[in-house]
Amino acid sequence: MRIVVAPDRAAAAQHAADIVERFVNSAVATALGIATGETMEGPLAEIAGRCQRGALSLAHTEVYLLDEYVGLKPDDPCSFASTVNRLLVQPTDLSPGAMHGPNPHNPDLYAECADYERRVRAARIGLQLLGIGTNGHIAFNEPGSSLASSTRVVQLNEQTRSDNARAFPDGTCPPRAAITQGIATILLARKLLLVACGQPKARPVARALEGPVTRSVPASALQLHPDVTVVVDPPAAALLADEPSQPCRQA
Ligand code: F6R
């Protein structure tokens, strides 16, 4: 595992975008797995900026979402599909048909989850972007999730709903349920890139990277993967006991 402490949030976003750019331009580029959330806004904006300047093209990239809320209207701007459409499809040359996610409006959610699991496996994710919840979740695998889990409908815990309320209009609460790739699904990606910024991420980052591998801290499953890069800013790195394995390389 490589841990990169970037000087600040903007540098962390640039460093993450560098890794995505190298992946997209590599000969072995396969599908790109995308996370959403506040932390990802910086890296996605950086990637979109590079596309707009002509320095990067996503024309041949397929992207797969990690998760999606269940219970929002199809055109709700807070859905993860709407968010990725706004942040990555509209400002770049990524084709709208190249963005894939689970359909939370399928009346048979069980079949939808099985189908999305099959599609993600068939896509062979080459690089998977990840954020981490303050409760240690990855995607929407909440504490207690099996490390062998696959794509399924989950109930969001109150910590997650309260953290994510900032992305919803005042007075609106995030849904109680979501579809998420499972932990085993995520671990199938060839490379994982976790980005975490800000003091609220210090404890989950330390528990995930330096604590025991346990279903109580779903992100601790990253320790089981052979190719993980973690990009953090200094507040998120504050509780790490070990020195980062690599200094930040500026773009
Ligand atoms: C969402 C996802 C989540 C977020 C996590 C951190 O697609 O995968 O695991 O990455 O909740 O969210 P922020 O960055 O908003 O703190």
Side-chain angles (χ1 to χ4, degrees), residues 16-17 20 42-52 56 58 88 92 129:
V20 172
L44 296 184
E46 182 66 29
I47 292 164
R50 292 178 192 197
C51 289
Q52 285 165 342
L56 176 64
L58 298 179
L88 206 59
T92 73
L129 301 186

Side-chain angles (χ1 to χ4, degrees), residues 24 32 34 44 47 51 56-65 84-85 87-100:
V24 167
L32 175 65
I34 296 280
L44 296 184
I47 292 164
C51 289
L56 176 64
S57 170
L58 298 179
H60 302 293
T61 304
E62 301 277 324
V63 304
Y64 284 78
L65 307 192
V84 173
N85 187 48
L87 298 178
L88 206 59
V89 177
Q90 286 174 11
T92 73
D93 56 355
L94 180 70
S95 149
M99 183 185 80
H100 309 272

